[in-house]
């Protein structure tokens, strides 16, 4: 995938069977590395591959929160962006996910543990320290210790489940952490420790909690009493799984990040069905899902965005080139779709025009 070059402003056309995109123009001052948008100026920032807009959330008031891997959080009120960082009390500028709980409190999954925000104050909740004597009962090997929370959900009981980038998952009831899946996945040959990175957690309509692992841990389902482990022997394309999503029919979608044999697995309650590039999927590394009001599933991948109507895939592209490495897709209260991903990319699609906010989100 060719890296998107933000120094030249993108003129983007949506290639879709149902509608044609309108071109939206922005201007750039000639030779000065300054972007001019709506009579305002912002210095062009040279985003790299490690600059990721990781997640998006629409809160109960209609504000949109975008988490990033290096720039903290951006809050968008429909008109302007506000960048919130450690200078404002955020626990870390490395933020992987965000949810809003039943009381309207925001919870950020960060490199420094959980970070809650009640609208006024930030509160840091650190992960528990690992007991040095805590080892796998099967292998006798320990798990890697980490501070990083990679994903978080609130279940139907109002309690939290969070994944880490190395130590499996935790259940958090507001007072106590309970560890899960610490000793799953492939043991690291360099130092003989477990390193289970949980990339998504999902509660399905039956109350089961699903965990996906990026470090060869496959998929686990917790019914409140016991875990059921799913691997390639159960029909998975691979054991490195990133996103999970439940559609409006109760099917659960999983995205694999394998480069060779990756794609999508769909669980119908009994068995897994797979969709790959052979079926028209735009890329084998699947990062996120979104279902629109028509039932069409939108898929963000390492090499673009495509949608699936149950029969065929349709690519969503940038003038015939790859749309980029997209990590989340959401829709706001005005029916705009938002896409974000690597190289700091952030786009809004209103059904006609695709607007690039990658640089303009940094206007103060």
């Amino acid at each position: 995938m060719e890296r998107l070059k933000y120094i030249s402003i993108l003129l983007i056309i949506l290639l879709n069977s149902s509608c044609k995109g309108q071109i939206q123009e922005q201007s750039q001052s000639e030779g000065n590395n300054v972007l001019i948008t709506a009579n305002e100026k912002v210095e062009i920032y040279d985003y790299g591959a490690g600059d990721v807009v990781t997640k998006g959330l629409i809160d109960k008031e209609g504000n949109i929160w975008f988490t990033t891997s290096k720039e903290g959080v951006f809050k968008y009120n429909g008109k302007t962006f506000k960048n919130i960082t450690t200078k404002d009390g955020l626990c870390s500028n490395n933020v992987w996910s965000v949810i809003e709980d039943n009381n309207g409190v925001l919870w950020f999954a960060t490199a420094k543990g959980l970070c809650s925000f009640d609208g006024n104050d930030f509160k840091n909740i650190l992960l528990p320290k690992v007991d040095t004597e805590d080892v796998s009962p099967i292998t006798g090997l320990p798990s890697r210790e980490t501070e990083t929370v990679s994903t978080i959900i609130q279940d139907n009981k109002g309690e939290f489940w969070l994944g880490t980038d190395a130590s499996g998952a935790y259940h958090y009831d507001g007072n106590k952490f309970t560890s899960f899946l610490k000793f799953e996945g492939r043991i690291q040959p360099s130092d003989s420790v477990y390193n289970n990175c949980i990339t998504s957690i999902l509660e399905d309509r039956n109350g089961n909690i699903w965990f996906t692992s990026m470090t060869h841990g496959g998929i686990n389902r917790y019914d409140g009493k016991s875990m059921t482990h799913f691997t390639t022997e159960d029909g998975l394309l691979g054991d490195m799984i990133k996103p999970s999503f439940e559609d409006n029919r109760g099917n659960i979608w999983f995205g694999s990040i394998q480069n060779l044999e990756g794609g999508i697995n769909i669980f119908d309650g009994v068995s897994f069905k797979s969709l790959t590039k052979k079926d028209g999927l735009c890329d084998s590394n699947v990062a996120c899902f979104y279902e629109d009001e028509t039932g069409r599933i939108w898929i963000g991948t390492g090499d673009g965005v495509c949608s699936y109507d149950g029969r065929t895939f349709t690519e969503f592209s940038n003038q015939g080139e790859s749309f980029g490495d997209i990590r989340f897709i959401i829709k706001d209260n005005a029916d705009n779709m938002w896409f974000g991903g690597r190289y700091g990319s952030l786009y809004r699609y209103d059904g006609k025009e695709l607007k690039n906010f990658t640089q303009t989100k940094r206007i103060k």
Side-chain angles (χ1 to χ4, degrees):
M1 180 192 73
E2 183 180 353
R3 169 177 170 173
L4 297 178
K5 299 181 179 178
Y6 301 119
I7 296 177
S8 60
I9 306 306
L10 299 178
L11 302 177
I12 302 174
I13 299 175
L14 172 67
L15 299 180
N16 192 289
S17 59
S18 62
C19 61
K20 293 183 179 180
Q22 304 295 315
I23 298 176
Q24 180 173 19
E25 295 185 356
Q26 294 178 322
S27 62
Q28 181 180 342
S29 62
E30 200 67 38
N32 286 325
N33 207 33
V34 173
L35 175 68
I36 303 174
T37 304
N39 298 320
E40 297 192 62
K41 297 181 180 181
V42 60
E43 182 181 353
I44 296 291
Y45 182 78
D46 187 18
Y47 281 114
D51 293 292
V52 185
V53 184
T54 52
K55 283 292 187 299
L57 169 77
I58 294 92
D59 69 21
K60 294 175 182 177
E61 296 180 353
N63 301 302
I64 313 178
W65 298 78
F66 301 105
T67 60
T68 77
S69 61
K70 294 183 180 181
E71 296 180 282
V73 175
F74 289 93
K75 177 185 178 182
Y76 183 62
N77 64 7
K79 295 181 180 180
T80 59
F81 286 89
K82 179 182 179 181
N83 188 206
I84 300 169
T85 69
T86 53
K87 294 179 180 179
D88 305 293
L90 186 65
C91 309
S92 169
N93 288 334
N94 185 345
V95 188
W96 292 106
S97 187
V98 57
I99 64 168
E100 185 177 21
D101 72 15
N102 299 334
N103 298 316
V105 176
L106 295 176
W107 293 79
F108 299 99
T110 83
K112 295 293 183 181
L114 286 177
C115 193
S116 66
F117 181 59
D118 63 6
N120 295 305
D121 300 310
F122 290 94
K123 181 181 178 182
N124 196 188
I125 300 99
L126 299 176
L127 295 177
K129 291 292 183 180
V130 175
D131 187 340
T132 55
E133 297 181 358
D134 188 15
V135 296
S136 166
I138 298 175
T139 64
L141 298 174
S143 170
R144 191 179 305 282
E145 187 174 2
T146 184
E147 296 180 294
T148 299
V149 179
S150 53
T151 187
I152 179 173
I153 68 165
Q154 186 178 36
D155 66 21
N156 59 23
K157 298 177 182 177
E159 299 178 349
F160 300 97
W161 294 86
L162 47 135
T164 76
D165 70 341
S167 302
Y170 287 96
H171 172 260
Y172 178 60
D173 63 6
N175 295 299
K176 184 179 68 173
F177 287 92
T178 303
S179 176
F180 289 84
L181 303 174
K182 185 182 295 186
F183 306 116
E184 288 280 351
R186 183 175 296 175
I187 299 170
Q188 299 302 300
S190 59
D191 51 11
S192 297
V193 298
Y194 289 91
N195 191 54
N196 194 16
C197 177
I198 302 297
T199 46
S200 74
I201 303 176
L202 167 74
E203 182 181 27
D204 68 23
R205 61 187 58 188
N206 297 315
N208 298 305
I209 307 295
W210 296 79
F211 307 86
T212 66
S213 168
M214 192 172 67
T215 45
H216 301 283
I219 297 170
N220 280 276
R221 181 183 64 196
Y222 183 61
D223 63 5
K225 296 180 181 180
S226 61
M227 286 282 182
T228 301
H229 185 55
F230 298 96
T231 69
T232 53
E233 295 180 359
D234 301 292
L236 294 183
L237 290 167
D239 58 5
M240 298 173 68
I241 312 296
K242 190 172 175 58
S244 55
F245 167 78
E246 185 176 24
D247 68 24
N248 60 21
R249 296 176 299 278
N251 300 309
I252 304 180
W253 297 59
F254 300 96
S256 168
I257 66 168
Q258 257 84 355
N259 287 317
L260 299 178
E261 197 76 26
I264 296 170
N265 277 113
I266 306 170
F267 184 68
D268 63 5
V270 178
S271 60
F272 289 94
K273 170 189 174 181
S274 63
L275 295 170
T276 69
K277 291 183 72 173
K278 295 178 182 178
D279 303 295
L281 180 64
C282 45
D283 187 64
S284 60
N285 287 329
V286 176
C288 61
F289 299 104
Y290 172 79
E291 183 174 17
D292 67 22
E293 62 278 1
T294 70
R296 179 180 289 269
I297 306 296
W298 295 71
I299 304 108
T301 77
D303 192 22
V305 175
C306 53
S307 62
Y308 183 66
D309 64 3
R311 293 172 296 177
T312 58
F313 288 93
T314 302
E315 185 180 1
F316 185 74
S317 66
N318 166 30
Q319 296 187 8
E321 296 182 2
S322 168
F323 186 74
D325 189 342
I326 297 300
R327 300 301 178 89
F328 77 86
I329 305 170
I330 59 171
K331 181 174 280 192
D332 65 23
N333 294 343
D335 285 333
N336 300 305
M337 294 187 73
W338 291 82
F339 308 86
R342 293 180 73 188
Y343 296 99
S345 61
L346 182 64
Y347 300 92
R348 184 184 69 191
Y349 176 59
D350 64 3
K352 296 180 180 180
E353 297 176 335
L354 186 66
K355 184 175 181 180
N356 185 355
F357 284 91
T358 301
Q359 295 292 337
T360 55
K361 70 177 180 290
R362 303 182 69 247
I363 295 177
K364 297 181 180 179

